[in-house]
């Protein structure tokens, strides 16, 4: 698994867009009272359910791999010249 230079910032951006996507799907209270590790899992599972990302293998479903999957998702969505991709 290749680590990206701005992986923490990309993950933060992925969570922001993930929560916006969740709100559009009707999950308005998702960001209140949810821990950071649970936030990653909630957004990951929502994106898998909505077929925005392919699911990880069952034995690979852990926090690190879910975070990496969200980072890969956001990289696909950002324009090539975005500052986080430089």
């Amino acid at each position: 698994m290749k680590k990206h230079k701005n992986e923490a910032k990309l993950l933060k951006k992925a969570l922001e867009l993930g929560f916006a996507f969740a709100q559009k799907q009707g999950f308005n209270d998702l960001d209140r009272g949810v821990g950071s590790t649970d936030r990653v899992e909630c957004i990951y599972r929502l994106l898998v359910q909505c077929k925005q990302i392919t699911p990880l293998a069952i034995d690979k479903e852990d926090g690190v791999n879910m975070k990496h999957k969200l980072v890969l998702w956001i990289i696909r969505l950002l324009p090539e010249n975005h500052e986080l991709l430089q």
Side-chain angles (χ1 to χ4, degrees), residues 4-68:
H4 297 277
K5 187 170 103 173
N6 295 322
E7 190 155 336
K9 291 178 183 177
L10 286 166
L11 179 61
K12 184 177 178 181
K13 185 72 168 173
L15 290 175
E16 287 174 13
L17 289 179
F19 281 118
F21 181 75
Q23 286 180 339
K24 288 181 181 178
Q25 297 295 318
F27 298 100
N28 294 328
D29 295 334
L30 189 60
D31 59 346
R32 295 189 189 121
V34 179
S36 62
T37 55
D38 291 334
R39 287 179 186 194
V40 170
E41 185 172 355
C42 287
I43 296 300
Y44 164 79
R45 296 205 183 280
L46 175 65
L47 292 174
V48 167
Q49 183 179 3
C50 294
K51 297 184 182 359
Q52 296 295 310
I53 58 175
T54 56
L56 293 164
I58 299 294
D59 60 330
K60 302 283 186 193
E61 281 188 347
D62 59 11
V64 174
N65 287 328
M66 287 181 191
K67 286 178 183 178
H68 185 70

